Amino acid sequence: MKKIQLKPIVQSLSLLGAGGVLIACSSLPGSQPPTLKAATGASLHSCTALVQSLKLSDTRIESAVSVAAGAIMQGDRAVPAHCLVKGRMHERKGSDGRDYAIGFEMRLPLAWNGRFYYQGNGGLDGSVQPALGALGGGPLTGALMQGFAVISSDAGHSGPQTTVFGLEPQACLDYGYQAVQKLTPMAKQLIAGAYGKGPDRSYIGGCSNGGRHAMVAASRLGDQYDGYLVGAPGYRLPYAALAQIWGAQQWAPLATPGATVKNPLNPNGTLMDLASGFTPQERQTVAKAIADKCDALDGVKDGMVQATQACQAAFNLRTDVATCTGERNGACLSTAQKEVVARVFDGAHTPTGQRIYASFPYDTGVSGANWGTWKFVDSLIRDPLALSTIFSVPPAPVDPLKDNIAARLAMFSATNPTYLESGWSLMTPPGESQPDNLATLRGRGAKVVLYHGVSDAIFSADDTRQWVERVGKAGLNPGADFARYFPVPGMNHCSMGPAADQFDLLGPLVKWVELGEAPQAVPASVRGAGNAGGVNTELPADWSAKRTRPLCAYPTVATYKGSGSLEEASSFSCQ
């Protein structure tokens, strides 16, 4: 059985890059990576003529229509005029008799900035989301709004709520990484046909599975993109999903016997009410205890825990949360509950102690509804489906409350004559969590910006932080000149929670790649009452509806300057 560990990278500088080419001198630690030339724009030649004029290999352009400025709104801003191109690549009959293709749409602005953005979508893919290049934490802006040509795809299958495609080997590979490989050169050719020139600079980004797509592209397509915007990356998705099943088995003994909730994927079905073992009231109690212990560590009590790592050392679940001496009443946790909560936050292990997935940091966002949904509902429905049909070889049903964790773990690295690539291989960056070609990426001037909600319940912010730390220990990020990580305190999976979850990291990434301006403090705002991007209903009532904070590049922390409004980012600095 393959042993999965969060191992530090000890590769020497003489290692070969991903393509078997000796790492260039410019990529060696200590040398300064280059700043790439800034993109220059162009105007769209024609829109409707693209259906006939574009001749792209293995691609059928279905339509090309003009979209007027303001026909689509992103928040309270009008999306500029653009051309919407829809098409399909590699249409085929699958081994299961179903029809498959890589469906996509591209949005080409009339006034183009010379840049290409690949929009990685979340979840199981399966549908072509509007190619607006939406960014993390609410529609503050987007890549299309900023003038990029943007592509979005279904990753090679249709049906976002089903995993039946996982039984078809090629569909699995497309979902894992090959759809991005196939779409990337086609999209660049399409752009060249539309504008008379290809993109000067290319970027890829997304959150959740979209963040995974970006990290996999950094490993497999190192020569195709200049900037990688990686949000809440499920880059070890099979193991995160298995950790969810393991977690369900931990929560189950705490649940109220016989209590059920509706199954959101089956109107006539029910699920065990795992949330009854750690109720919203009890999670609010834990969140308050975390705040009481950690809020002031960043210099001021403002309802936000910015000093995440210091908080992990300061907070003790067993002593800082009241222990119930009688019946549970929401204001305390039983001894059994404390043991389970501590075990889940410590991270999943096999019965013999082998680590399956990363730990999770304690943070006030544990009170968020999104946190509960992932832990108590999705662990019983979505994660088992993915485990059974996409990540396991051979595919095999999963009973989330009874599945043999160690046996399932072994199925991730298995192959057979039908499934020639394992679930681990098709989903994750080659070389486990450390792509071999990062030194080559850095050497040619590419950059990686990562962000993650500290209270993400499905993909751990600790996993992302540890990835960045491994890159640093390997000597590939001296002075944080290649990769920077922005934790978002309080935020759940990609948004929500008591957090300033509205921000734009694409603009700073472009400035870093093309102007050499490294991002350090990025403005973030809450989505309070009246927010055009949609209101975050989980904000505390005593916060301003327009509270702002700087997102700080790890390991710096947003720290109060000692004076100024607690609602303004200008009162804080990254230290």
Side-chain angles (χ1 to χ4, degrees):
M1 181 173 67
K2 181 179 179 181
K3 189 173 183 180
I4 305 302
Q5 296 285 356
L6 291 172
K7 298 180 291 186
I9 301 305
V10 293
Q11 297 163 309
S12 72
L13 295 177
S14 63
L15 283 180
L16 300 184
V21 180
L22 192 66
I23 293 172
C25 291
S26 62
S27 67
L28 295 176
S31 63
Q32 185 69 29
T35 298
L36 299 178
K37 183 179 178 181
T40 58
S43 297
L44 186 68
H45 291 174
S46 173
C47 179
T48 55
L50 292 176
V51 175
Q52 299 300 324
S53 64
L54 291 174
K55 305 299 180 185
L56 306 169
S57 178
D58 298 309
T59 303
R60 178 165 60 91
I61 302 299
E62 298 174 299
S63 63
V65 297
S66 297
V67 180
I72 298 174
M73 301 295 293
Q74 198 160 28
D76 59 355
R77 298 179 61 188
V79 173
H82 60 277
C83 179
L84 170 59
V85 179
K86 294 186 177 183
R88 296 165 70 80
M89 285 194 78
H90 295 282
E91 295 175 281
R92 63 186 179 86
K93 183 72 70 174
S95 59
D96 58 1
R98 296 172 179 266
D99 291 325
Y100 287 92
I102 303 173
F104 68 89
E105 73 168 41
M106 285 200 73
R107 294 182 185 257
L108 309 171
L110 271 59
W112 179 49
N113 66 10
R115 302 180 179 95
F116 164 51
Y117 185 79
Y118 189 107
Q119 173 183 308
N121 295 317
L124 296 170
D125 281 299
S127 63
V128 181
Q129 300 296 314
L132 303 176
L135 307 179
L140 181 68
T141 183
L144 182 63
M145 184 84 74
Q146 296 180 26
F148 288 70
V150 182
I151 192 170
S152 170
S153 89
D154 61 11
H157 64 274
S158 59
Q161 299 295 342
T162 178
T163 60
V164 66
F165 76 90
L167 302 176
E168 210 281 328
Q170 184 58 52
C172 265
L173 293 170
D174 285 338
Y175 170 65
Y177 65 93
Q178 290 189 8
V180 179
Q181 284 187 340
K182 296 166 184 175
L183 287 164
T184 296
M186 182 280 296
K188 293 184 178 184
Q189 293 168 16
L190 193 156
I191 289 170
Y195 294 103
K197 57 170 277 188
D200 296 315
R201 294 286 161 254
S202 298
Y203 297 81
I204 181 171
C207 196
S208 188
N209 180 54
R212 181 193 68 84
H213 279 308
M215 286 191 82
V216 171
S219 177
R220 293 185 179 271
L221 300 176
D223 61 341
Q224 292 295 307
Y225 291 97
D226 305 303
Y228 301 82
L229 181 56
V230 179
Y235 74 96
R236 298 196 303 139
L237 206 160
Y239 300 97
L242 186 61
Q244 285 277 87
I245 303 302
W246 174 88
Q249 295 177 9
Q250 311 307 304
W251 300 118
L254 299 176
T256 301
T260 61
V261 295
K262 290 183 178 180
N263 183 340
L265 298 185
N266 179 3
N268 299 317
T270 59
L271 305 169
M272 177 185 285
D273 183 12
L274 292 181
S276 63
F278 189 27
T279 67
Q281 294 80 10
E282 290 165 337
R283 290 190 283 116
Q284 187 64 53
T285 292
V286 172
K288 183 179 183 303
I290 293 170
D292 288 345
K293 196 73 174 184
C294 301
D295 190 354
L297 294 177
D298 53 24
V300 69
K301 285 195 172 185
D302 58 354
M304 303 179 83
V305 175
Q306 303 284 350
T308 297
Q309 294 312 114
C311 184
Q312 306 317 298
F315 177 72
N316 187 318
L317 178 76
R318 293 176 174 85
T319 58
D320 293 329
V321 176
T323 302
C324 300
T325 56
E327 294 294 321
R328 289 166 50 191
N329 60 11
C332 58
L333 296 184
S334 69
T335 300
Q337 283 181 298
K338 287 187 176 183
E339 291 303 315
V340 170
V341 172
R343 194 157 60 240
V344 169
F345 272 83
D346 185 54
H349 295 74
T350 67
T352 60
Q354 180 183 354
R355 179 170 287 281
I356 296 170
Y357 191 58
S359 58
F360 288 81
Y362 287 106
D363 181 67
T364 56
V366 67
S367 62
N370 177 272
W371 192 96
T373 297
W374 277 109
K375 292 296 189 190
F376 305 133
V377 178
D378 290 325
S379 62
L380 297 178
I381 50 174
R382 289 185 172 86
D383 294 302
L385 285 173
L387 287 171
S388 64
T389 58
I390 304 173
F391 310 144
S392 299
V393 175
V398 171
D399 182 335
L401 299 177
K402 298 179 180 179
D403 208 60
N404 184 311
I405 299 298
R408 184 66 57 174
L409 182 63
M411 298 172 77
F412 293 170
S413 57
T415 60
N416 66 21
T418 301
Y419 301 94
L420 300 177
E421 195 160 342
S422 69
W424 162 257
S425 176
L426 69 90
M427 292 299 293
T428 60
E432 253 187 50
S433 58
Q434 172 64 61
D436 291 339
N437 70 347
L438 287 186
T440 303
L441 276 182
R442 176 181 176 271
R444 69 176 185 80
K447 306 295 184 186
V448 181
V449 166
L450 309 97
Y451 67 92
H452 209 136
V454 177
S455 277
D456 192 320
I458 172 65
F459 302 132
S460 172
D462 278 351
D463 207 25
T464 298
R465 173 181 57 80
Q466 290 161 2
W467 183 90
V468 173
E469 290 175 345
R470 287 196 298 276
V471 171
K473 289 178 181 178
L476 300 176
N477 197 28
D481 65 5
F482 166 63
R484 294 201 172 194
Y485 166 48
F486 293 84
V488 188
M491 190 170 84
N492 288 172
H493 184 56
C494 295
S495 65
M496 300 300 289
D501 70 344
Q502 192 172 54
F503 47 85
D504 169 21
L505 282 165
L506 178 59
L509 175 59
V510 170
K511 288 184 177 180
W512 195 13
V513 170
E514 301 180 26
L515 299 177
E517 299 177 9
Q520 180 61 33
V522 175
S525 58
V526 304
R527 293 181 290 119
N531 188 282
V535 174
N536 178 358
T537 58
E538 296 184 321
L539 297 177
D542 59 349
W543 290 13
S544 165
K546 297 182 178 181
R547 173 177 282 200
T548 57
R549 286 291 184 274
L551 292 185
C552 295
Y554 177 81
T556 64
V557 170
T559 304
Y560 188 56
K561 294 179 179 179
S563 62
S565 170
L566 298 186
E567 306 301 336
E568 300 292 338
S570 59
S571 302
F572 296 79
S573 62
C574 295
Q575 299 179 18

